[in-house]
Amino acid sequence: MKIKSYEKQYFAQLGAVMDKARMQELEAENLEPVFVAFRDAPYLDYLFSCKIYVALEDGKLMGFIGFKPGKIEFIYVDPNAQGRGIATKLMEKTLDELKRPVSLEVFTNNNRAKVLYKKFGFETVKTITEKWSDEYPVLFSQDTMELK
């Protein structure tokens, strides 16, 4: 597996990974109705304003991480490739670059992701519960985790 900087040639593969992994994340929270396909997502400009690393295996994008100074904004791994250390390698590469403190946000019930973050020393510093939107007024909880 190689970790390297994002290049435009990976756009379609990154989108496919994000769509599958984002749906998995939303299903776990019973938030499937709020899913927006990658190409239509309102946050694309923000994602691409981040520094992005991709994990490649035999030329295929298996996962990615997007970050800014002090904050991990996105980390997704293809559900078919989870449990193989891809997110760990992405986190290692990113955390080598970031000055502390580093924060991230994660659904409160996303225990699998939180195990990864705790392995690196992240701790929950805040939990908020709010409704998703006026159009979809379902409550969800999100933790802010920080690595000092």
Side-chain angles (χ1 to χ4, degrees):
M1 179 178 32
K2 288 184 183 176
I3 305 295
K4 61 182 282 187
S5 292
Y6 171 81
E7 298 171 17
K8 288 182 183 179
Q9 71 190 31
Y10 301 124
F11 180 84
Q13 289 186 71
L14 188 144
V17 166
M18 184 154 186
D19 281 350
K20 287 189 274 185
R22 180 72 173 150
M23 182 55 88
Q24 177 189 42
E25 177 183 47
L26 293 172
E27 284 173 348
E29 296 294 320
N30 295 314
L31 291 171
E32 304 99 298
V34 304
F35 175 79
V36 176
F38 178 75
R39 290 191 177 269
D40 301 324
Y43 50 77
L44 279 185
D45 287 341
Y46 187 76
L47 169 62
F48 290 111
S49 73
C50 294
K51 184 167 186 176
I52 301 171
Y53 286 125
V54 296
L56 301 171
E57 196 169 81
D58 299 323
K60 184 175 183 211
L61 193 144
M62 306 304 285
F64 71 93
I65 191 167
F67 60 98
K68 292 188 175 240
K71 183 133 193 222
I72 295 173
E73 300 287 357
F74 301 87
I75 181 167
Y76 289 100
V77 173
D78 184 321
N80 297 321
Q82 290 173 1
R84 296 183 8 213
I86 295 167
T88 295
K89 295 258 191 260
L90 289 165
M91 290 286 289
E92 288 170 349
K93 175 78 170 159
T94 299
L95 291 174
D96 279 348
E97 288 187 29
L98 289 175
K99 293 181 181 173
R100 307 302 186 260
V102 177
S103 67
L104 56 81
E105 294 175 352
V106 60
F107 285 125
T108 300
N109 296 326
N110 190 342
N111 293 323
R112 188 173 189 165
K114 289 169 82 173
V115 165
L116 171 72
Y117 305 145
K118 288 176 183 177
K119 177 169 86 172
F120 285 97
F122 281 84
E123 297 179 356
T124 300
V125 294
K126 179 173 73 170
T127 300
I128 60 163
T129 300
E130 61 187 353
K131 70 178 178 173
W132 188 265
S133 68
D134 289 335
E135 298 84 41
Y136 192 71
V138 171
L139 291 180
F140 72 98
S141 290
Q142 182 170 285
D143 291 347
T144 299
M145 297 183 79
E146 188 173 270
L147 174 62
K148 296 188 189 240

